[in-house]
């Protein structure tokens, strides 16, 4: 087992670094979503979902 780990140490380290980066991205995205932030640029004229995400406020 120790021989296998030493032979694959570089792959293991790279995998752990990539997992840490992906985890940090997911945490940041969830934090931004909870804070109400979005990746939307607000330019609905060039969006495939134009008019779907930014509904005009209805009068109450």
């Amino acid at each position: 087992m120790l021989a296998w780990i030493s032979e694959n140490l570089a792959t293991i380290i790279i995998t752990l670094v990539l997992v840490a980066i992906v985890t940090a991205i997911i945490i940041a995205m969830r934090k931004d979503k909870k804070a109400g932030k979005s990746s939307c640029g607000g330019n609905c004229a060039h969006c495939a979902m134009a008019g779907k995400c930014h509904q005009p406020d209805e009068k109450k």
Side-chain angles (χ1 to χ4, degrees), residues 28-40:
M29 289 174 67
R30 291 185 69 188
K31 181 181 173 186
D32 287 347
K33 185 174 182 174
K34 285 182 181 181
K37 295 180 184 177
S38 153
S39 63
C40 176

Side-chain angles (χ1 to χ4, degrees), residues 25-60:
I25 291 170
I26 291 171
I27 290 170
M29 289 174 67
R30 291 185 69 188
K31 181 181 173 186
D32 287 347
K33 185 174 182 174
K34 285 182 181 181
K37 295 180 184 177
S38 153
S39 63
C40 176
N43 188 1
C44 292
H46 299 288
C47 180
M49 295 294 292
K52 302 291 182 200
C53 61
H54 298 285
Q55 299 292 330
D57 293 332
E58 295 180 15
K59 293 183 181 180
K60 294 181 181 180

Side-chain angles (χ1 to χ4, degrees), residues 3-36:
W4 180 85
I5 291 174
S6 65
E7 290 172 2
N8 295 301
L9 189 59
T11 303
I12 294 169
I13 292 172
I14 291 170
T15 302
L16 290 175
V17 169
L18 289 174
V19 167
I21 291 170
V22 169
T23 303
I25 291 170
I26 291 171
I27 290 170
M29 289 174 67
R30 291 185 69 188
K31 181 181 173 186
D32 287 347
K33 185 174 182 174
K34 285 182 181 181

